[in-house]
Amino acid sequence: MSTATHADLVLTGGPVHTGDPARTRATGLAVTGERITAVGHDEVKELIGPKTEVVDLRGRMLVPGFQDAHVHAVYGGVELGQCDLTGTTGRAEYRSRIAEYARAHPERAWITGGGWSLESFAGGLPTRRELDEVVADRPVYLLNRDHHGAWVNTRALELAGITRDTPDPADGRIEREPDGTPSGVLQEGATTLVARIVPPTDAAERLAGLLRAQRLLHSLGVTGWQDALLGVFNGQPDPSDAYLAAARDGSLTARVAGALWWDRARGAEQIPELVQRRAELEHGRFRARSVKIMQDGITENFTAAMTGPYLDGCGCATANSGLSFVDPAALCEHVVALDALDFQVHFHALGDRAVREALDAVEAARRANGHRGTRHHLAHLQVVHPADVPRFARLGAIANIQPLWAAHEPQMDELTIPFLGPERAARQYPFGDLLRSGATLAAGSDWPVSSPDPLAGIHVAVNRTLPESDHERVFLPEQRLDLATALAAYTAGSAHVNGLDDAGSLRPGNLADLVVLDRDVFLAPQAVAEARVERTYVGGRLVHEAS
């Protein structure tokens, strides 16, 4: 065999889960340049030459690189360098971390960060007074875990000019004390009332945040993702410049698709700007060919758009059925226009009314333009009406699931189920129904809303329990996915959403985006979250190795 046929990299000696239906298992794989050149068994070793790097898997499992179909990487990376409240639900721990951060950063005019959980506070509502006791001399602005609300202190409210006379914005709500005084929580669009005066991060901070996030995501086996919000949102600067800078200087090792933010306060007049931005934001491994439309909010603050009203604490119907941020008729018009321009539309749709409105818009685009291969996808899908489940397959709309949320935990059991009622609560995160109806599944984390670890997400998709929880409390077990399907959603499914038809599975000719796990996860699907990533490759290049 001539040296021209020798591979650059050969991994052998362990189970290879290919994700290719024609050959699901192998024991060896070869890479030349950026691409896979062989998948098989002992015959792959024939490609080993004097300059070939050989990796003995020693029984460890090789899988396709994970892709995250819905993540906010720059925001997450920036927040890791701010006041980080993730990883705990203890109120005392929140206070301690905030106080410690304020002491460590006397030079900062504002205390910013986030990650607090709704479940930590009665009704999901902390107060300004709790923050005042920790930091009174400087304004504090802390986003909650899902980034749909902010906790602020009295100083921040004063600087923003928010009083009992300040009206709620059309797309949000100011939580109030009995006399109307703002209590310290701003929901949805009301966050911008303070966010607009928070000092923005600069370009260097955003780039540092991206690279910090990339290191974390690579360590979890993520080789590519779709950033679900490129634009100005809730006062936070547009992260696009960080991606473009990293793509140009070669520090962007991941493959990134960007979703351009649809300004819900505007209409079709912004489409030419989106076309221009799409052309400008394309370099190397970065491109922005998607448009993100946030159609509703979240269930915990009663802004997810529902086909029926929310219940109150006594189980009685209220007058509120959530918010549709974009008028449904206008939504159809906008999606038809975007689809005609070959934009993918990335919908945020949690409530069953928002899901229906998004599907109606996709149907209008299909009717007007035919099937153009634009791969529109609906993210989150917390509540889906049974009548709408089969529409995904019929319309070619991709179900972009965030599996970590489909489990019993306090935010679900205390702040969601009682206010949805039993019928709607039983329709939550219908992964199994969507799969059985023929829908294409992709998967993502929505980090920093929740953990970016794909193995944790796969664990919940398969078991419908959190990794550390009591396995006897399975959340809607009929909606569980088998391990191969869940793994495919995080690999081939998300690669499909991200326009990477030559990624997501291990077969000759595909990109060599690879992950080495420390075990064969198929031997114990009930414990998949215990697996660890030992190596991550992008295009045959090692970008992470566990110490």
Side-chain angles (χ1 to χ4, degrees):
M1 183 175 290
S2 70
T3 57
T5 62
H6 291 159
D8 296 324
L9 171 68
V10 169
L11 300 101
T12 186
V16 177
H17 176 76
T18 67
D20 181 358
R23 182 183 223 170
T24 58
R25 280 282 178 132
T27 56
L29 179 144
V31 176
T32 303
E34 284 197 336
R35 297 195 176 266
I36 298 167
T37 46
V39 179
H41 298 285
D42 286 346
E43 72 275 14
V44 174
K45 296 178 183 177
E46 298 177 12
L47 298 175
I48 297 174
K51 296 183 179 180
T52 302
E53 179 187 355
V54 180
V55 176
D56 184 356
L57 293 171
R58 303 190 312 276
R60 297 171 296 176
M61 173 168 267
L62 185 67
V63 299
F66 300 124
Q67 298 224 4
D68 193 316
H70 184 106
V71 67
H72 305 279
V74 177
Y75 292 156
V78 168
E79 287 183 14
L80 287 176
Q82 298 179 336
C83 183
D84 183 9
L85 301 181
T86 61
T88 184
T89 57
R91 293 169 66 169
E93 179 65 16
Y94 292 153
R95 292 165 60 94
S96 174
R97 291 190 191 183
I98 296 164
E100 181 180 349
Y101 184 86
R103 282 194 300 270
H105 296 281
E107 80 287 357
R108 299 209 170 175
W110 283 70
I111 304 301
T112 58
W116 55 274
S117 293
L118 300 177
E119 67 195 67
S120 303
F121 304 94
L125 300 174
T127 70
R128 61 187 172 90
R129 300 181 193 281
E130 290 174 272
L131 282 180
D132 293 345
E133 292 173 3
V134 181
V135 181
D137 61 326
R138 285 178 281 171
V140 180
Y141 179 81
L142 300 169
L143 291 163
N144 65 14
R145 189 178 74 182
D146 57 37
H147 289 64
H148 288 262
W151 181 15
V152 297
N153 67 351
T154 299
R155 183 64 180 143
L157 291 167
E158 290 171 349
L159 289 174
I162 303 173
T163 69
R164 70 175 66 183
D165 299 319
T166 304
D168 289 345
D171 61 349
R173 183 173 68 249
I174 301 168
E175 300 292 353
R176 302 176 189 271
E177 297 168 0
D179 67 354
T181 301
S183 64
V185 172
L186 307 172
Q187 306 283 17
E188 300 293 346
T191 59
T192 61
L193 299 175
V194 169
R196 64 192 177 195
I197 64 170
V198 175
T201 57
D202 61 26
E205 289 175 293
R206 292 191 290 277
L207 179 57
L210 169 59
L211 298 180
R212 190 182 294 125
Q214 182 174 251
R215 288 191 295 272
L216 173 62
L217 292 167
H218 281 339
S219 77
L220 298 171
V222 177
T223 59
W225 62 81
Q226 183 160 149
D227 193 299
L229 204 167
L230 298 185
V232 176
F233 175 69
N234 281 356
Q236 300 186 69
D238 183 355
S240 302
D241 60 347
Y243 284 114
L244 200 54
R248 285 174 172 163
D249 70 16
S251 58
L252 183 66
T253 50
R255 307 184 195 280
V256 179
L260 304 171
W261 178 244
W262 179 269
D263 185 347
R264 60 200 186 210
R266 303 172 65 198
E269 72 276 8
Q270 65 190 290
I271 292 177
E273 300 166 22
L274 296 171
V275 172
Q276 181 178 349
R277 293 196 71 208
R278 176 173 61 181
E280 294 170 349
L281 296 175
E282 182 139 0
H283 190 91
R285 291 180 173 174
F286 173 59
R287 63 196 184 283
R289 303 173 184 172
S290 184
V291 173
K292 166 71 174 297
I293 299 180
M294 187 173 177
Q295 186 57 13
D296 68 341
I298 60 171
T299 57
E300 293 86 355
N301 66 10
F302 314 120
T303 57
M306 297 291 177
T307 55
Y310 287 95
L311 307 182
D312 61 19
C314 298
C316 299
T318 69
N320 175 35
S321 57
L323 299 174
S324 293
F325 291 136
V326 181
D327 175 78
L331 181 67
C332 290
E333 295 174 4
H334 300 329
V335 173
V336 168
L338 291 167
D339 180 76
L341 291 167
D342 291 322
F343 276 109
Q344 176 189 74
V345 180
H346 180 158
F347 297 93
H348 167 119
L350 269 93
D352 57 358
R353 190 176 84 235
V355 171
R356 180 168 294 172
E357 290 165 352
L359 290 171
D360 288 346
V362 173
E363 186 164 17
R366 301 303 190 213
R367 193 164 50 242
N369 306 324
H371 285 256
R372 299 177 59 86
T374 36
R375 306 183 188 184
H376 305 311
H377 53 120
L378 282 67
H380 307 324
L381 305 176
Q382 181 167 356
V383 181
V384 183
H385 194 282
D388 291 316
V389 168
R391 298 178 70 195
F392 283 83
R394 179 164 59 83
L395 296 172
I398 300 162
N400 184 343
I401 63 174
Q402 282 61 62
L404 268 175
W405 305 345
H408 283 294
E409 44 93 20
Q411 193 159 307
M412 169 64 72
D413 295 340
E414 298 169 13
L415 300 178
T416 302
I417 290 175
F419 304 100
L420 291 180
E423 183 178 354
R424 279 183 303 195
R427 297 176 183 167
Q428 292 188 88
Y429 305 113
F431 307 155
D433 286 347
L434 287 163
L435 177 68
R436 289 184 286 270
S437 73
T440 296
L441 303 184
S445 65
D446 206 11
W447 182 65
V449 172
S450 47
S451 168
D453 184 358
L455 290 168
I458 291 169
H459 179 101
V460 177
V462 170
N463 298 290
R464 301 286 285 206
T465 59
L466 293 175
E468 67 279 6
S469 68
D470 180 354
H471 285 257
E472 293 181 0
R473 294 198 70 209
V474 178
F475 182 68
L476 303 177
E478 68 278 9
Q479 302 301 341
R480 288 179 289 199
L481 300 176
D482 65 272
L483 178 54
T485 297
L487 190 55
Y490 269 97
T491 53
S494 293
H496 176 72
V497 160
N498 292 339
L500 295 170
D501 292 331
D502 54 355
S505 61
L506 305 182
R507 52 187 174 185
N510 273 11
L511 291 163
D513 297 349
L514 318 169
V515 172
V516 178
L517 302 178
D518 67 353
R519 71 195 70 188
D520 184 341
V521 292
F522 285 86
L523 297 179
Q526 74 280 5
V528 64
E530 296 177 9
R532 293 293 176 263
V533 171
E534 297 207 343
R535 288 186 170 214
T536 305
Y537 295 85
V538 180
R541 173 188 169 192
L542 184 67
V543 295
H544 167 75
E545 184 172 16
S547 56

